[in-house]
Amino acid sequence: MSSDHFPAAGQDRLAEPLDLGKRVMRNRIAQAPLSVSYGSPTGEVTAATIGHYARRAAGGAAMVMTENFAISQSGRQLPRQCLISGPEFLDGLTELASAIHAHGALAVIQIVHAGRYAGPWEQYEAARRLAPSAVPFPLTADRTVTPAEATHEELDQARQDFVSAARLARDAGFDGVHVHGAQGFLLSSFQAPRMNKRSDAYGGDFEGRTRLAREVVADIVDAVGDDMLVGYHLMSDEMMPGGWQPAEAARLAHDLEEIGVDFIAPIPTTFESIREQVRLTGNDPTVFNADVFRTISAATGTPLFANGGLGSPVDARAVLEKGLADVIMQGRPLLVDPDWSHKTLNGNEDSIVVCPCDPAATCKRTQLTGVVCHSWSEADQAKGFVGI
């Protein structure tokens, strides 16, 4: 891993460029794919979407990664989630990539099929919600639903939709795509033994349960890998009995390296397992886990992107200096303070606006309609976003 190289004494590791092969990051800070839901109800990129991501690029992040954009209407989760499912979205996507580039950052778009979490949730039973098997699960704390077992035809269509989305991102000028294989969405649901009860080629052992993820990534690498970065959002630990384990995540990371991914961003939990862990322990299970990163890094030389509870510049630097990861992704820290990167890299850390992140945080409560942060000024809260 490139993180085996340690900087000279006194050098800020966060400020070091990182050569990813096809692109070079100007520093080691990336905007994490935090869902803000500023898209239109029909999935178009809006002025708020563009302003939001351009502002984080202007704030000094080396890579601005969007929230997950749905590869199809059937794979869409949130009512204002952007789509990347056809040429009608190209103009908005192009404007978004251009706005990020205008401030010197790499533009990467995360692409997803929500699988069993597809929406609208209030009409869950009205359409097929794809999963490896028809296993009931708690969609919300007080509601259990049963998704549909995806057919081979539906899986083939999802694979085609992933590739079409990647090609559309390339045509729009993005530097990379980040395939969402975590949080219980379609790809990671196949990886999870407790959700995947299939007996065909997409179930059973590790090879079967990871087949869909490997096929999707291989298809994308074949389609656009010479032109753009291909990353993978890897479920590192499902944190449920009978669930996906870190050792399996490490094995898949090795396989993805062989296929040709350019970076991997490990992240634990699904939506239901995070609720369960919070209920049992009272702690946030998504915070950075050094032991899991050690397990994954031992299996792959692919650059690793770390995320979760690393909003302190001291903590972020420590992860890099210990060789645990190559890049620090910041979600809420950049939502609260778009200039987190500039302030950190220029010795102004005392002026960083810190996220109080209480259990009823405004950003969580407004995710369906467009995220707002109560640490913003009243004017920005009224506008609904902080952008250029």
Side-chain angles (χ1 to χ4, degrees), residues 253-272:
H254 172 77
D255 291 347
L256 294 172
E257 178 183 17
E258 294 293 309
I259 292 170
V261 297
D262 299 291
F263 62 91
I264 295 172
I267 185 172
T269 72
T270 65
F271 291 115
E272 62 261 34

Side-chain angles (χ1 to χ4, degrees), residues 161-386:
D161 290 341
F162 268 108
V163 172
S164 296
R167 286 180 172 143
L168 192 59
R170 177 194 59 191
D171 294 344
F174 280 89
D175 296 290
V177 290
H178 189 50
V179 181
H180 204 322
Q183 294 181 299
F185 292 135
L186 184 66
L187 299 184
S188 60
S189 68
F190 271 79
Q191 296 163 201
R194 70 185 191 90
M195 299 302 297
N196 188 338
K197 306 300 182 182
R198 300 173 77 104
S199 58
D200 63 5
Y202 291 98
D205 60 8
F206 174 88
E207 292 296 325
R209 288 183 284 108
T210 61
R211 186 179 305 277
L212 182 60
R214 289 183 286 108
E215 288 179 343
V216 165
V217 173
D219 289 347
I220 291 174
V221 169
D222 286 345
V224 303
D226 289 339
D227 304 317
M228 62 195 310
L229 299 167
V230 178
Y232 194 78
H233 210 54
L234 174 67
M235 183 165 66
S236 58
D237 186 351
E238 195 175 2
M239 304 187 78
M240 291 287 279
W244 175 259
Q245 301 292 321
E248 293 178 298
R251 185 176 171 186
L252 180 55
H254 172 77
D255 291 347
L256 294 172
E257 178 183 17
E258 294 293 309
I259 292 170
V261 297
D262 299 291
F263 62 91
I264 295 172
I267 185 172
T269 72
T270 65
F271 291 115
E272 62 261 34
S273 69
I274 192 173
R275 286 197 303 266
E276 183 65 6
Q277 291 296 317
V278 170
R279 184 185 71 81
L280 291 174
T281 68
N283 297 319
D284 182 356
T286 64
V287 296
F288 176 77
N289 187 318
D291 289 339
V292 171
F293 267 70
R294 288 190 185 97
T295 299
I296 295 173
S297 65
T300 179
T302 305
L304 297 183
F305 286 31
N307 187 27
L310 298 174
S312 161
V314 172
D315 293 340
R317 288 190 180 96
V319 168
L320 298 182
E321 290 166 358
K322 292 176 182 178
L324 296 170
D326 299 88
V327 170
I328 303 299
M329 296 198 304
Q330 298 290 12
R332 286 200 189 106
L334 298 193
L335 176 71
V336 178
D337 189 343
D339 292 315
W340 187 97
S341 304
H342 273 322
K343 290 176 180 179
T344 296
L345 297 176
N346 290 289
N348 297 318
E349 297 172 16
D350 290 345
S351 67
I352 291 174
V353 181
V354 178
C355 174
C357 202
D358 61 80
T362 306
C363 64
K364 295 179 180 179
R365 293 187 287 104
T366 56
Q367 200 171 56
L368 295 180
T369 56
V371 164
V372 174
C373 174
H374 62 251
S375 293
W376 295 346
S377 69
E378 290 185 7
D380 284 332
Q381 289 188 53
K383 184 174 63 174
F385 70 101
V386 173

Side-chain angles (χ1 to χ4, degrees), residues 47-113:
T49 310
I50 294 167
H52 167 77
Y53 288 111
R55 181 66 183 84
R56 275 71 197 172
M63 176 186 290
V64 170
M65 192 182 299
T66 72
E67 65 206 289
N68 57 75
F69 282 35
I71 60 171
S72 64
Q73 185 63 48
S74 63
R76 192 183 189 203
Q77 179 192 12
L78 300 172
R80 291 189 60 186
Q81 181 179 12
C82 290
L83 284 158
I84 182 167
S85 58
E88 65 272 27
F89 299 102
L90 179 59
D91 287 349
L93 293 167
T94 301
E95 190 174 352
L96 174 57
S98 178
I100 294 170
H101 286 151
H103 300 284
L106 300 181
V108 173
I109 189 166
Q110 187 177 71
I111 56 178
V112 72
H113 188 298

